[in-house]
Amino acid sequence: ALRDTSKQIRVQSLRGMGLREDSIWNEIINSCEDLAKLNSDEVFRQLEYNDVEYVEGFASFHENGDTETIVVSPSKREIKAK
């Protein structure tokens, strides 16, 4: 999403219009969120169209930078953290 956003938003133009850096970053972040949402909607549409079973979930990054492995077993319908 960030790569695609960089092709659409001209930072120099926004700076030339007098926008502050935080306003420019807000524009970039909003554009990335919009593109990511469109992409995820399309993936779900394709999965459902092709009758692919999937497990839906939510993930986030640890604030301290730690990593964690999660194993999903659709056949057993269980999720385990390692």
Side-chain angles (χ1 to χ4, degrees):
L2 184 58
R3 183 194 69 218
D4 292 341
T5 297
S6 72
K7 295 176 184 177
Q8 295 176 349
I9 295 179
R10 301 287 174 245
V11 174
Q12 288 304 105
S13 297
L14 296 176
R15 286 182 179 144
M17 294 182 338
L19 291 177
R20 298 186 335 235
E21 289 296 312
D22 60 337
S23 296
I24 293 170
W25 275 107
N26 283 336
E27 185 67 29
I28 292 168
I29 290 167
N30 288 336
S31 180
C32 286
E33 288 174 348
D34 291 344
L35 286 170
K37 175 73 170 124
L38 288 172
N39 182 52
S40 68
D41 288 347
E42 177 61 17
V43 168
F44 283 128
R45 187 194 67 75
Q46 290 179 20
L47 290 171
E48 290 175 356
Y49 178 80
N50 292 294
D51 293 324
V52 175
E53 187 175 336
Y54 58 89
V55 177
E56 189 174 353
F58 177 79
S60 62
F61 293 101
H62 291 279
E63 289 192 26
N64 63 4
D66 287 348
T67 59
E68 192 171 313
T69 302
I70 297 176
V71 178
V72 178
S73 176
S75 60
K76 296 179 182 179
R77 302 256 187 230
E78 64 184 14
I79 300 173
K80 295 181 181 178
K82 287 186 174 184

